[in-house]
Each structure stands twice: as structure tokens, then as C-alpha cells.
Amino acid sequence: MSRRQTKSQTIILHLLQQEQGALSHDGITAKLEKGLDRVTIYRILNRFVEDGLAHRIVADDGRQYFAICPEDCCHDHEAHGHLHFRCVICDRVECVPGEVGYRLPPGYQVNNHNIILSGNCNTCNAK
Amino acid sequence: MSRRQTKSQTIILHLLQQEQGALSHDGITAKLEKGLDRVTIYRILNRFVEDGLAHRIVADDGRQYFAICPEDCCHDHEAHGHLHFRCVICDRVECVPGEVGYRLPPGYQVNNHNIILSGNCNTCNAK
DNA sequence: GTAACTGCAAAATATTTGCATCCTT
DNA sequence: AAGGATGCAAATATTTTGCAGTTAC
């Protein structure tokens, strides 16, 4: 069950590290020079999430995005209290620093936060 | 372009109104006595959203849920600031009253909020 | 050498589109 | 009867599973 180090994984890990924000499967494919199999990419991403290396965001377009958050943003890969912003124009998903406050009736146990704001990001808005 | 009243639409509308919370396509199908076509249901739901009658939630399972929120919850069908909670056990999506506070860097324009907390709901937790 | 990783094919899931037919107005 | 709604078939999109071949350790 112990993981092995492969070129494909390293490449994708670097892609995610270089990106500030989250990448979708498509986004990763687009950035890859060497063509990796669709399935391999999915499996690598799922392994990253399993290992707590990356976290998975399901955006409001129903697709999965993956991100490696900076130290101060990821304390627990299961519960991310920070925000994500998806730009409907450039389709980029960013991790936005910020606190989220909410209150739930008693008895609820939250395992995962998924907070997506969507609209126009500052870059696209400026154009 | 004007809408016509049909039995199918009325049935689904009533289902949504009776439900406190959101229903997925599957959830609606399960509650239907008379079998409606899969596509028809999707189209009816999309019309409801278009007309501002219901709103669409994309949950963290990547699926769409539809809900008719109470008066005090829906001021604008494009931007819902309230929370949703998806129970991973009973798979129900609820609209939870509550405020969400966040702060974004300048230049961002938010058109849509999609806030899903997931975990165990109070009913399932009590079991 | 063994078990993990990869790639190809195929399946599973969720949603949309085309088109002929039916039904509301 | 005009055109919006429905149903069936098929397409699209995204992600997962099975399995044989390859590779890291």
C-alpha cells in the first residue's frame, strides 16, 4: 500500500504547487506537456487527496478542482473553512483567504465545508 | 415563450413545496407516483430555476439539488447567501437559516453563492 | 520479484439536445 | 391551429472500474 514515486505524480504535484488556486482535470491536462492518460490523472489526484496532499473542491459547475493550499490555509484536508471563488469568465478557481462564519442548529456535525462564490474575478472584471 | 400549465409541472412543484429542503432529480423521481420521463423532469426543473421559482444547488457530491425556499430566505434567485447542509448518511440537502460572512479582495463581483456544509444531520446523528 | 502505477477499453453517472408527437391556450 | 410541453433516442461530460502490461523499490 505504500506509495511509489513516479514521474507522472511529480509532474502533477509541481503543476498544482505552481498554481495558486485550484486546477480541474481539464486544466491539468492543458498544462501538461507530456500526454498523460485521463484515468492516470484522476487516479493521481485521488491519491493526493487521500494522502492529504491536496484537497478536492467541487465547484458550482459540478466539476472537481484540486488545490494545494498554503500552510496557513490547510489544517485539515477534510474540513476547509476558507472560501473558493470561481470566475465564470476565465474559469479559474481560486482559494480566497477569509473567515466564514455560520451557525447551525444543535446536533449537526460538519465534516466538510464547500463554499464557492462565483462571478467575475478581479482580473476579468478589469478587462 | 409564455409558459403553459401542465400536470407534470404541478406535481413537481408540489413535491418541492412539501419538501423542506432540496431534492435531487433522483429524489424527485423516487417521490413520483406517476412515472415521468427523466428528461421532462430536468426540463421542468430548469424552467423553475429560469423563472425564479426554485433555485439550484450544486452540492459537494457534484449533483444538482432544487429547492423552493421560504419567503424570508429567497430575495434573489441568483444569489443565495444562506447555507445548505448535505447529510452524507441520509443524503438529504437542507436549507439552513444562517448568515455567512466573508470578505473578498476588491474587484470581485459575486453573482452566486454556493455554500454546502456536509456531514451528519441532527436526525442521523441521533440514531 | 512483488506490488504499485500506467494505459487502454469500457462502464457508470449526471445532464443536455434533437425531433416527432401531444396537449394547452 | 400555433407553439409550448412531453417522451424517446442519442449525445455529451465527468469520473470510475477492470484488466493486462510496465515500473519502482
Side-chain angles (χ1 to χ4, degrees):
Chain A
M1 279 274 197
S2 62
R3 299 274 126 97
R4 288 177 186 179
Q5 193 169 351
T6 64
K7 224 174 280 184
S8 315
Q9 288 175 101
T10 312
I11 294 172
I12 293 187
L13 184 60
H14 285 166
L15 272 185
L16 287 176
Q17 284 171 335
Q18 277 161 30
E19 187 77 18
Q20 76 240 67
L23 286 172
S24 64
H25 181 278
D26 266 1
I28 289 170
T29 306
K31 285 192 191 297
L32 281 175
E33 300 175 5
K34 181 189 160 206
L36 282 179
D37 189 70
R38 199 169 22 291
V39 178
T40 300
I41 299 174
Y42 275 117
R43 282 200 266 232
I44 288 173
L45 291 170
N46 282 333
R47 255 178 269 145
F48 283 176
V49 173
E50 249 181 69
D51 296 349
L53 237 152
H55 74 273
R56 185 197 318 269
I57 305 156
V58 179
D60 55 355
D61 59 359
R63 293 189 303 167
Q64 302 182 172
Y65 290 76
F66 299 85
I68 293 179
C69 286
E71 290 282 323
D72 61 333
C73 151
C74 284
H75 308 294
D76 176 1
H77 79 286
E78 286 287 1
H80 290 279
H82 65 269
L83 308 165
H84 300 283
F85 186 94
R86 184 173 70 90
C87 179
V88 295
I89 298 175
C90 66
D91 207 47
R92 274 171 42 91
V93 172
E94 302 175 54
C95 293
V96 179
E99 269 310 299
V100 189
Y102 57 84
R103 216 166 48 89
L104 284 177
Y108 284 80
Q109 179 192 325
V110 176
N111 295 333
N112 209 297
H113 305 222
N114 205 284
I115 299 166
I116 302 272
L117 309 176
S118 61
N120 307 352
C121 72
N122 54 359
T123 310
C124 288
N125 242 350
K127 283 173 190 167
Chain B
M1 279 277 197
S2 61
R3 300 273 128 99
R4 288 178 186 179
Q5 193 170 351
T6 62
K7 225 174 281 184
S8 314
Q9 288 174 100
T10 311
I11 294 172
I12 294 187
L13 183 61
H14 284 167
L15 271 186
L16 287 176
Q17 283 171 335
Q18 278 162 29
E19 187 77 18
Q20 75 240 70
L23 286 173
S24 64
H25 181 278
D26 266 2
I28 289 170
T29 306
K31 285 191 192 296
L32 281 174
E33 299 175 4
K34 180 189 160 206
L36 282 179
D37 189 70
R38 201 175 10 298
V39 177
T40 301
I41 298 174
Y42 275 117
R43 283 200 265 233
I44 289 174
L45 291 170
N46 283 333
R47 256 178 269 145
F48 283 176
V49 173
E50 249 180 69
D51 297 347
L53 238 152
H55 74 273
R56 185 197 316 271
I57 305 154
V58 179
D60 57 354
D61 59 359
R63 294 188 303 167
Q64 302 182 172
Y65 290 75
F66 299 86
I68 293 178
C69 285
E71 291 281 323
D72 61 333
C73 153
C74 282
H75 307 296
D76 175 2
H77 79 288
E78 286 288 2
H80 291 279
H82 64 269
L83 307 165
H84 299 283
F85 187 93
R86 184 173 70 89
C87 178
V88 294
I89 298 176
C90 65
D91 206 46
R92 276 170 40 91
V93 172
E94 303 175 53
C95 293
V96 179
E99 270 311 299
V100 188
Y102 58 84
R103 216 167 47 90
L104 284 177
Y108 284 80
Q109 179 192 325
V110 176
N111 295 333
N112 208 299
H113 304 223
N114 205 284
I115 299 166
I116 303 271
L117 309 176
S118 61
N120 307 353
C121 74
N122 54 359
T123 311
C124 288
N125 242 351
K127 284 171 189 167

